[in-house]
Amino acid sequence: MSSDSVDRVVAGWLLPTLVALPLVAALGLLGLRRLSERVAALVGVVVASVTAILAVAGAVAAAPFDAPGFGVESDHRWIPALGVRMHLGLDGVSVPLVLLTALLGVL
């Protein structure tokens, strides 16, 4: 597999997972209100830690940052009938922001 095809495979799941994982975990915890606070906190820390690891993996995959455009990019049709699509990308400006957000989630 070439480096370009590996980047496409990584971008195909990494960026959507980076966005969806905290959302799914939060909705799951909201639905399971009978969990103890300790278990809920543990789930939150684990999900935030996995999100931070995914953010670091995305930053590494997006490097080097001297080239124009996105280092890692994911573009999916969401609602084709309306022409709506989900376009996610990591470049030199967004990587520090994603890493900071992931770090704050762990804190």
Side-chain angles (χ1 to χ4, degrees), residues 78-84:
W78 186 21
I79 308 171
L82 299 176
V84 178

Side-chain angles (χ1 to χ4, degrees), residues 60-103:
V60 169
F65 303 114
D66 57 353
F70 296 111
V72 176
E73 189 172 13
S74 175
D75 192 8
H76 301 281
R77 294 187 306 163
W78 186 21
I79 308 171
L82 299 176
V84 178
R85 58 192 192 121
M86 178 181 71
H87 187 193
L88 303 170
L90 285 176
D91 60 0
V93 174
S94 62
V95 165
L97 299 173
V98 169
L99 290 172
L100 267 172
T101 303
L103 178 65

Side-chain angles (χ1 to χ4, degrees), residues 15-107:
L15 296 178
T17 303
L18 191 60
V19 173
L21 181 65
L23 177 64
V24 169
L27 292 175
L29 287 174
L30 183 64
L32 299 172
R33 292 184 184 179
R34 296 191 179 190
L35 288 177
S36 69
E37 288 183 21
R38 185 178 178 124
V39 172
L42 180 64
V43 169
V45 168
V46 168
V47 169
S49 298
V50 170
T51 302
I53 291 167
L54 289 175
V56 170
V60 169
F65 303 114
D66 57 353
F70 296 111
V72 176
E73 189 172 13
S74 175
D75 192 8
H76 301 281
R77 294 187 306 163
W78 186 21
I79 308 171
L82 299 176
V84 178
R85 58 192 192 121
M86 178 181 71
H87 187 193
L88 303 170
L90 285 176
D91 60 0
V93 174
S94 62
V95 165
L97 299 173
V98 169
L99 290 172
L100 267 172
T101 303
L103 178 65
L104 286 174
V106 175
L107 294 178

